[in-house]
């Protein structure tokens, strides 16, 4: 039976990288039925809606999405489609594994970090208003419910995957009430997991500690904004944003997408690296129980990186997006 998947190619480099990944997924022999929809500015042109009703209904039906990046206008315009989808479907856990690929030289070999980012609240609540001209208020929402839920997710993941340590990342020295509540929830959940070492670090210090020695950390749990920033920082450990996957997970649905954005600086040139979306699709395959296909792609991907002949520019090669996908497919068929 075919897996029904809602496909959101996105914009910018989205079309290119998602198309490459769909070709690789289809070459595994697993059957997919794609329900494809535009989102954001492209959707507005077609449907006069940034998130078309049909897209929402499709995710409600399929419960699984594979998504490319969607551009969000800066300093005005429509609100982030990415944030809206996470909130709409209560995809409260943003799971971001940071692991090196073979033969990509970086300053930090053998990094193995898990970032667990709360995905539905904090400063992403979108509650902003101008109090008087020249004064704007932006509300950071932290709730006991969402903080406990993300802490439970992180600890459960750690227990099930033999991870040893969790750090909650915060700024509770300044945001005493909001980040203080987040920490209290993490501490309460930690009590049920005595085998996991629990620590707390302030977010600015964490940035420095990560750059000095990322190996001191194992699993990091944090609210939305810190998770956004720290993920990009950690992407640099393993070769950049072209490589890092993520899963937006809720109790009923899941949407898999790269950590990176729509990269307008390289869009339409067939030079973007599809590895981040491909690795996100491996998380999707495992979510669907298609472990054999996931292993097959992962082996092929590692072989392509080991041969170093068909890599994209961001990791020192000169191959195009589609050429890279061709070589992953050729490896799978060997
Ligand atoms: P970005 O992640 O799109 O790009 C940052 C840098 O990384 C750029 O130099 C870009 O060329 C490079 N890069 C990103 N992905 C790459 C890939 N696959 N291969 C090679 N190089 C890659 O971040 P930026 O420029 O800050 O954001 C652009 C737009 O994307 C904004 O509108 C932003 O809101 C949106 N965005 C969307 C996300 C999503 O859909 N989940 C996530 C992050 C940003």
């Amino acid at each position: 039976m075919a897996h029904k998947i809602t496909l959101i190619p996105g914009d910018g480099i989205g079309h290119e990288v998602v198309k490459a990944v769909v070709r690789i997924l289809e070459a595994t022999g697993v059957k997919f039925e794609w329900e494809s929809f535009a989102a954001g500015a492209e959707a507005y042109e077609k449907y006069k809606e940034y998130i078309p009703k049909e897209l929402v209904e499709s995710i409600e039906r399929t419960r699984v999405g594979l998504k490319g990046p969607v551009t969000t206008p800066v300093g005005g315009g429509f609100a982030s489609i990415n944030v809206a989808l996470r909130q709409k479907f209560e995809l409260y856990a943003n799971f971001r594994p940071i692991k090196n690929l073979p033969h990509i030289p970086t300053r930090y070999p053998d990094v193995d970090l898990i970032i667990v980012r709360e995905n539905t609240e904090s400063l992403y609540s979108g509650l902003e208003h101008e109090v008087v001209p020249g004064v704007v208020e932006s509300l950071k929402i932290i709730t006991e419910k969402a903080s406990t839920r993300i802490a439970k997710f992180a600890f459960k993941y750690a227990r099930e995957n033999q991870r040893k340590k969790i750090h909650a990342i915060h700024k509770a020295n300044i945001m005493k009430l909001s980040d203080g509540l987040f920490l209290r929830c993490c501490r309460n959940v930690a009590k049920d997991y005595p085998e996991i070492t629990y620590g707390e670090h302030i977010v600015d210090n964490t940035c420095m500690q990560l750059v000095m020695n990322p190996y001191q950390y194992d699993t990091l749990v944090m609210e939305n904004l810190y998770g956004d920033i720290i993920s990009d920082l950690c992407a640099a450990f393993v070769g950049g944003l072209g490589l890092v996957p993520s899963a937006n997970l809720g109790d009923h649905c899941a949407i898999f997408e790269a950590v990176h954005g729509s990269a307008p600086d390289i869009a339409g040139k067939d030079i973007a690296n599809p590895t981040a979306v491909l690795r996100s699709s491996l998380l999707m395959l495992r979510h669907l129980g298609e472990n054999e296909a996931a292993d097959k792609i992962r082996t092929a991907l590692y072989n392509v990186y080991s041969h170093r002949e068909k890599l994209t520019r961001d990791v020192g090669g000169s191959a195009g997006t589609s050429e890279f996908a061709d070589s992953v497919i050729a490896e799978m068929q060997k």
Side-chain angles (χ1 to χ4, degrees):
M1 219 178 63
H3 295 287
K4 285 191 177 25
I5 310 285
T6 304
L7 191 69
I8 308 166
D11 52 37
I13 58 169
H15 288 282
E16 303 159 59
V17 287
V18 168
K19 188 171 155 205
V21 168
V22 166
R23 282 206 292 124
I24 296 168
L25 287 171
E26 291 193 331
T28 60
V30 173
K31 296 272 172 273
F32 297 97
E33 247 178 63
W34 306 104
E35 300 187 5
S36 185
F37 298 93
E42 276 183 21
Y44 194 79
E45 267 177 37
K46 204 164 151 195
Y47 303 97
K48 294 283 169 271
E49 278 178 304
Y50 291 109
I51 302 181
K53 183 166 78 329
E54 291 81 352
L55 163 54
V56 172
E57 287 167 358
S58 172
I59 295 176
E60 277 165 355
R61 212 171 33 246
T62 65
R63 295 174 172 229
V64 181
L66 181 63
K67 177 179 165 300
V70 178
T71 303
T72 309
V74 173
F78 60 88
S80 166
I81 301 308
N82 314 306
V83 172
L85 286 172
R86 294 166 190 167
Q87 288 171 347
K88 167 113 195 113
F89 294 104
E90 278 213 70
L91 305 173
Y92 58 85
N94 195 330
F95 173 77
R96 299 179 151 186
I98 313 279
K99 285 198 174 98
N100 296 84
L101 278 162
H103 304 281
I104 295 295
T106 70
R107 294 199 181 101
Y108 304 89
D110 304 320
V111 169
D112 180 6
L113 287 168
I114 302 291
I115 293 176
V116 177
R117 166 185 175 189
E118 203 293 319
N119 224 7
T120 59
E121 54 182 32
S122 168
L123 282 164
Y124 290 69
S125 61
L127 299 171
E128 286 190 320
H129 64 273
E130 190 177 61
V131 183
V132 290
V135 182
V136 167
E137 208 168 49
S138 188
L139 300 183
K140 167 161 170 161
I141 306 295
I142 296 288
T143 64
E144 186 177 336
K145 180 182 165 207
S147 304
T148 302
R149 185 167 67 172
I150 198 67
K152 281 187 177 164
F153 176 94
F155 277 94
K156 183 164 177 283
Y157 175 84
R159 176 173 280 169
E160 288 171 359
N161 292 276
Q162 292 76 51
R163 313 284 309 193
K164 304 270 180 286
K165 258 192 297 191
I166 292 191
H167 281 86
I169 308 305
H170 66 93
K171 190 78 186 171
N173 49 333
I174 305 297
M175 281 162 274
K176 295 175 193 295
L177 283 184
S178 54
D179 282 18
L181 173 59
F182 183 81
L183 281 186
R184 271 206 310 286
C185 295
C186 290
R187 285 175 200 156
N188 276 340
V189 175
K191 286 183 201 145
D192 295 333
Y193 295 82
E195 79 279 20
I196 296 167
T197 308
Y198 172 68
E200 295 169 353
H201 278 176
I202 294 177
V203 63
D204 38 352
N205 173 36
T206 305
C207 294
M208 189 274 292
Q209 295 289 348
L210 276 164
V211 174
M212 294 291 276
N213 174 18
Y215 307 105
Q216 66 185 296
Y217 293 112
D218 174 330
T219 300
L220 304 171
V221 62
M222 61 200 88
E223 56 90 290
N224 216 336
L225 179 64
Y226 310 151
D228 193 359
I229 295 168
I230 289 208
S231 307
D232 276 31
L233 188 157
C234 290
F237 295 150
V238 298
L241 280 166
L243 305 176
V244 181
S246 88
N248 299 291
L249 305 167
D251 291 333
H252 306 292
C253 307
I255 298 182
F256 298 84
E257 65 180 338
V259 167
H260 65 69
S262 57
D265 52 336
I266 56 167
K269 298 181 179 163
D270 191 42
I271 59 174
N273 190 345
T275 303
V277 178
L278 185 59
R279 286 174 121 186
S280 308
S281 81
L282 298 188
L283 298 175
M284 179 185 84
L285 285 175
R286 297 198 190 281
H287 176 84
L288 295 169
E290 295 287 358
N291 289 315
E292 211 178 300
D295 290 343
K296 200 164 147 183
I297 296 179
R298 194 186 53 183
T299 305
L301 178 72
Y302 282 16
N303 287 342
V304 170
Y305 273 92
S306 301
H307 304 332
R308 296 198 56 82
E309 282 160 15
K310 297 286 178 192
L311 300 184
T312 48
R313 290 177 191 201
D314 55 313
V315 287
S318 57
T321 310
S322 41
E323 203 182 347
F324 174 87
D326 290 341
S327 67
V328 175
I329 294 169
E331 274 300 325
M332 279 200 294
Q333 289 166 348
K334 272 186 186 164

